[in-house]
Amino acid sequence: MAQQSQPEPQPLPTGEANELPDRVATVYGDHDLSTVAAFAGGYINFGYWAWLPHLANGPLSEADRIRSEQDLYRLVLGALERTEGRSALEVGCGRGLGCALALQEFGLGPVTGLDVHPDQIARAREANATLLAGPAQLEFIEGSAQRIPLPAASVDCLYSVEAAQHFRDLTGFAQEAARVLRPDGRLALTTFFARIQEAARALPELLPPYADGLDVPYVIDDVAGTLAAAGLRDVRVQAIGEGVWEPYDRYMAQRRELRDGWPRRYLTTYQTGLLDYYVITAAAPGAAPGPSAAATSADGSASTAP
């Protein structure tokens, strides 16, 4: 991927409102969610806290919060299995900090960050200016998850961290992921999903981001099935909520500026079985099947994947 001049991002045409809903445009535009104290460090995710050695003791610091966000990326990038020298695409890259981590810690490269919001692409280029000025190993491009502006069979690894809950066309994303991955490619994504259909109907009454249109209450088994239907193989689901929800809520509770001004019902929805956090992995359509071609459902049972 040759380094090239990257023009300033332009607003999406008005006809593409389907790809940038009003609430998403606001939260990641003028509002800039990455500046909210709840997302210290600018990675914009709830974090994976299980690797923090002192998790059960004492207060959680802002440094802990930032590490939890980085560790969520590390969990996902590790799930790609082989990374050194392999090309990668992050769908929903935000400020691009996860792209830099993928490049510097996991040896992925070249790495492309894709985001539908032009403001986020501008921020990613600013935040990673030093890396962008170096050898041609990193770039950021504007585009949607359901219309990825890359050629077929052009990337080895596709990953996404806490972005898929925003996608309005999950089928389109799955088909595009299957299209752009090389035959030996891997997919890994993580975010939160409803556990069952009844939960998907209940969540908008409990969590404002579902009620105001920021997030879509997808059901985890439907997500896995959609990926499999697009031709992705060996679709596997791992629930990781135990390492996400309680410590995140505890961190929020310890900060006066956060505990009263941010929706803290995520832990409740997790404890009542409505919502969980997941890592999903899959192999490209042309990849050889793994030891088992079963997709693990949210309840721990196995469902057959093509």
Side-chain angles (χ1 to χ4, degrees), residues 56-121:
N57 304 309
L60 295 169
S61 68
E62 184 174 88
D64 293 330
R65 177 69 184 107
I66 294 171
R67 176 174 164 180
S68 78
E69 296 173 273
Q70 294 169 331
D71 280 354
L72 185 62
Y73 267 96
R74 292 178 179 116
L75 184 68
V76 170
L77 293 168
L80 292 169
E81 297 177 352
R82 292 188 298 122
T83 57
E84 190 69 34
R86 286 164 67 82
S87 62
L89 169 69
E90 179 177 356
V91 178
C93 67
R95 283 181 173 261
L97 304 181
C99 292
L101 190 151
L103 187 69
Q104 295 172 318
E105 291 192 18
F106 285 80
L108 285 159
V111 176
T112 299
L114 174 76
D115 204 283
V116 71
H117 205 304
D119 290 356
Q120 292 290 66
I121 293 298

Side-chain angles (χ1 to χ4, degrees), residues 31-246:
H31 185 65
D32 189 4
L33 193 61
S34 64
T35 65
V36 174
F39 297 112
Y43 286 85
I44 322 181
N45 66 63
F46 286 123
Y48 183 67
W49 304 73
W51 293 340
L52 287 165
H54 59 288
L55 190 63
N57 304 309
L60 295 169
S61 68
E62 184 174 88
D64 293 330
R65 177 69 184 107
I66 294 171
R67 176 174 164 180
S68 78
E69 296 173 273
Q70 294 169 331
D71 280 354
L72 185 62
Y73 267 96
R74 292 178 179 116
L75 184 68
V76 170
L77 293 168
L80 292 169
E81 297 177 352
R82 292 188 298 122
T83 57
E84 190 69 34
R86 286 164 67 82
S87 62
L89 169 69
E90 179 177 356
V91 178
C93 67
R95 283 181 173 261
L97 304 181
C99 292
L101 190 151
L103 187 69
Q104 295 172 318
E105 291 192 18
F106 285 80
L108 285 159
V111 176
T112 299
L114 174 76
D115 204 283
V116 71
H117 205 304
D119 290 356
Q120 292 290 66
I121 293 298
R123 292 172 187 134
R125 291 173 181 167
E126 180 179 2
N128 297 279
T130 300
L131 284 174
L132 289 170
Q137 288 293 299
L138 179 65
E139 71 170 333
F140 297 101
I141 59 175
E142 184 183 337
S144 71
Q146 60 263 29
R147 281 204 292 276
I148 296 174
L150 292 178
S154 59
V155 295
D156 298 311
C157 302
L158 186 152
Y159 67 97
S160 182
V161 174
E162 207 165 299
Q165 78 280 3
H166 298 320
F167 299 167
R168 267 47 188 181
D169 182 1
L170 199 61
T171 297
F173 163 69
Q175 292 170 344
E176 282 291 86
R179 181 184 68 83
V180 302
L181 281 171
R182 293 187 174 124
D184 63 343
R186 294 282 299 171
L187 173 145
L189 71 86
T190 191
T191 195
F192 47 95
F193 295 115
R195 293 194 64 206
I196 56 176
Q197 294 292 343
E198 291 79 2
R201 291 190 286 270
L203 286 170
E205 299 296 323
L206 299 170
L207 293 170
Y210 288 114
D212 66 18
L214 179 64
D215 297 334
V216 181
Y218 292 118
V219 177
I220 181 59
D221 286 347
D222 292 345
V223 176
T226 298
L227 294 173
L232 292 160
R233 300 172 60 91
D234 201 15
V235 179
R236 297 171 183 267
V237 174
Q238 178 188 5
I240 62 166
E242 185 176 358
V244 176
W245 300 118
E246 189 280 330

Side-chain angles (χ1 to χ4, degrees), residues 246-295:
E246 189 280 330
Y248 168 77
D249 188 79
R250 183 149 52 93
Y251 173 81
M252 300 290 284
Q254 291 172 1
R255 282 159 174 72
R256 181 176 300 174
E257 74 276 17
L258 298 178
R259 63 180 176 233
D260 299 325
W262 187 260
R264 287 184 51 218
R265 300 193 192 106
Y266 289 96
L267 179 59
T268 301
T269 59
Y270 167 65
Q271 291 173 332
T272 55
L274 298 177
L275 189 75
D276 206 346
Y277 212 102
Y278 300 94
V279 173
I280 305 176
T281 57
S292 168

